Amino acid sequence: DKEGEGDGDTQSSEETTTDNGTSSGNAKSFRAPEPELVSEKTFTGTAPERLIFIGDIHGCAEEFGKLLETVNFKQGSDQVILVGDLVAKGPDSLGVVNKARSIKAWGVRGNHDDRVVRWGQFLQGPAKGMSESDLKALEDAGELPYSDFELSGGHYDIASTMPLCDFSYLAQFSALITLPDAYSEWVVAHGGMEPTKAIADQDPEVVMTVRNIGPDGPSSEKDAGDAWFEVWADAIGPLGNSGSSTISGKSSDTEKETAKETDPEEGEENEGEDTKEKRSNIKRQSSTNSPSAPLTEIQFKKVIYGHDAGRALQIHDITKGLDSRCVYGGELTAFILPGEELKSVPCQNYDGKDASADRRRRRAFLERRALSLRPRRKRRMVLPRIAPPPVRAHKVNPPPRHYKRQEM
């Protein structure tokens, strides 16, 4: 839960005040704006030759660059689409965001991106002008606005040092992306989607964090119910490949079907009663899943997502999970349309390394660069005063010894 312990409606009678005059109550009650739910993308001019979807990068800027070289990315001809979590855990989050902005990549907001954006909006809002010691005092007092805010977690360092142009680029990422024209059957999310809701009714928090669908609904926990993409595929069933149906979350006496798909790799054929009941409530309706279909209808879509590093790469007919554990020494993966081609590059294992040292070096570099770019005040050149050379008295040389003075 990213929310803090309190709603901000009631404040403690013992509020602390920071050096810049901001009270802990104002900091505690801060709430960042929710991300835009869905961005309906369009192609301006000629449609790109390829769409290149890239999994969770997590600050691995070097591997990001290598993957773009591996897929032979051509700016202007290809469109890169990122499935979220550009930042955190890896060594160069700022480099990843800057590179993504420079190639005009589209992207959805991941849960780690969201934490950095919330940190940045907090630092630009009620925490503007606060020193790190002020923030530490708020953290120690439990007065930071979100329970997942930690000064030592890396997200604060990224938010506090990211250039404003890159921060604005990251902050405008929506939770979902729908694609135009020939790609309208696809939707992009970071975590996943809830099968019983229309796109317009999805919860951004669920879209960014969901892994499983349990008896109580969507969950970010890995052992609660079934993987969301299995429930999604069961809901679509045999109609999934046609792209010509929608689903309704309402049950009826005349429409009761249970969709079941067995994963041959896992060999799981037995389902709990709760899961069966949950899946039986997802019904099919005959409809056309066209680009003009309103987002308020529950549509069958093929979903490209990331987030679930525990399950690693998951490529199925209806869903494509691209988190291939890059930051943990796995691979960084690209999924290319048309053709559904996969490309990947190996990654270093940054898990367990002292990332704080990388953050300190990065911040020191940014501070030095900021000082070097700061305009300097013109100064009048003052030449040092130089003392004149000493005046030597004229000295008359004595006459030579052989000289004889003439007598007058």
Side-chain angles (χ1 to χ4, degrees):
D1 186 6
K2 71 180 182 181
E3 296 294 335
E5 295 296 329
D7 297 327
D9 296 331
T10 60
Q11 297 182 8
S12 170
S13 59
E14 298 180 357
E15 288 187 354
T16 58
T17 303
T18 59
D19 294 339
N20 73 337
T22 301
S23 69
S24 60
N26 293 337
K28 181 73 172 177
S29 61
F30 170 77
R31 288 294 174 266
E34 289 286 340
E36 181 184 6
L37 175 60
V38 59
S39 176
E40 300 180 64
K41 296 295 186 182
T42 58
F43 299 137
T44 57
T46 306
E49 295 179 6
R50 299 183 301 171
L51 300 185
I52 303 173
F53 303 85
I54 296 179
D56 301 38
I57 304 174
H58 277 301
C60 300
E62 182 179 350
E63 289 82 355
F64 183 28
K66 288 180 179 178
L67 184 59
L68 292 176
E69 293 177 1
T70 299
V71 300
N72 194 24
F73 167 72
K74 296 178 181 178
Q75 189 160 351
S77 299
D78 300 326
Q79 179 63 58
V80 170
I81 303 175
L82 307 173
V83 302
D85 276 1
L86 284 68
V87 300
K89 299 185 180 181
D92 192 5
S93 295
L94 301 186
V96 170
V97 178
N98 183 264
K99 180 66 175 178
R101 183 176 66 86
S102 69
I103 64 173
K104 299 180 180 180
W106 296 345
V108 293
R109 188 184 294 191
N111 54 307
H112 287 279
D113 305 326
D114 184 62
R115 196 184 308 181
V116 168
V117 170
R118 285 184 283 118
W119 255 120
Q121 291 168 339
F122 176 60
L123 294 174
Q124 295 169 16
K128 188 173 183 178
M130 282 190 184
S131 65
E132 195 163 328
S133 59
D134 290 336
L135 294 170
K136 180 62 177 173
L138 291 179
E139 182 181 33
D140 293 341
E143 295 295 332
L144 289 176
Y146 293 98
S147 59
D148 62 357
F149 271 19
E150 297 176 351
L151 291 176
S152 60
H155 302 81
Y156 163 74
D157 294 300
I158 297 167
S160 61
T161 56
M162 186 178 293
L164 183 59
C165 54
D166 290 339
F167 179 82
S168 300
Y169 165 76
L170 185 65
Q172 55 88 31
F173 280 9
S174 59
L176 291 167
I177 283 179
T178 58
L179 301 174
D181 304 336
Y183 307 102
S184 61
E185 64 180 334
W186 297 92
V187 64
V188 187
H190 176 63
M193 297 179 68
E194 191 171 357
T196 58
K197 288 186 177 181
I199 290 179
D201 296 329
Q202 296 284 329
D203 182 349
E205 179 71 13
V206 170
V207 169
M208 290 188 291
T209 62
V210 66
R211 288 189 177 93
N212 282 19
I213 304 291
D216 298 326
S219 173
S220 62
E221 300 298 326
K222 301 175 184 178
D223 56 354
D226 293 329
W228 76 269
F229 53 84
E230 293 176 347
V231 181
W232 184 265
D234 285 349
I236 295 177
L239 302 179
N241 293 328
S242 66
S244 61
S245 61
T246 64
I247 59 177
S248 169
K250 297 179 181 180
S251 60
S252 65
D253 294 335
T254 58
E255 291 182 322
K256 287 191 176 180
E257 303 177 26
T258 301
K260 180 178 178 181
E261 180 181 88
T262 301
D263 188 342
E265 295 182 359
E266 297 294 335
E268 295 179 357
E269 298 182 356
N270 297 322
E271 293 180 318
E273 292 300 323
D274 291 337
T275 304
K276 289 181 179 180
E277 182 179 357
K278 182 73 176 180
R279 295 186 179 185
S280 66
N281 288 331
I282 303 174
K283 309 304 170 191
R284 302 191 187 94
Q285 287 181 333
S286 177
S287 179
T288 300
N289 189 15
S290 65
S292 60
L295 298 182
T296 52
E297 288 186 11
I298 304 178
Q299 304 178 38
F300 282 135
K301 291 279 189 179
K302 296 181 178 180
V303 185
I304 301 171
Y305 68 100
H307 183 56
D308 202 345
R311 292 186 173 104
L313 192 66
Q314 293 285 326
I315 303 299
H316 304 286
D317 290 339
I318 309 300
T319 56
K320 315 293 180 182
L322 302 184
D323 189 341
S324 46
R325 301 178 59 80
C326 174
V327 77
Y328 302 109
E331 296 178 332
L332 183 60
T333 301
F335 174 73
I336 303 171
L337 291 176
E340 300 197 11
E341 183 183 5
L342 287 172
K343 294 282 188 179
S344 62
V345 295
C347 302
Q348 295 186 50
N349 185 0
Y350 298 101
D351 186 33
K353 291 189 177 181
D354 185 10
S356 61
D358 294 319
R359 292 195 295 268
R360 287 195 298 270
R361 284 194 294 269
R362 183 69 181 174
R363 292 185 70 185
F365 164 75
L366 291 172
E367 289 172 359
R368 290 195 302 271
R369 186 174 68 175
L371 289 174
S372 66
L373 296 177
R374 182 181 299 171
R376 295 185 177 181
R377 190 173 51 181
K378 293 184 177 180
R379 296 183 179 180
R380 186 180 61 180
M381 182 178 292
V382 179
L383 297 176
R385 298 186 63 181
I386 303 175
V391 179
R392 296 182 178 180
H394 181 68
K395 183 178 181 181
V396 179
N397 294 328
R401 294 180 180 178
H402 63 274
Y403 176 79
K404 292 183 179 182
R405 187 175 182 181
Q406 297 181 359
E407 295 180 359
M408 297 299 292

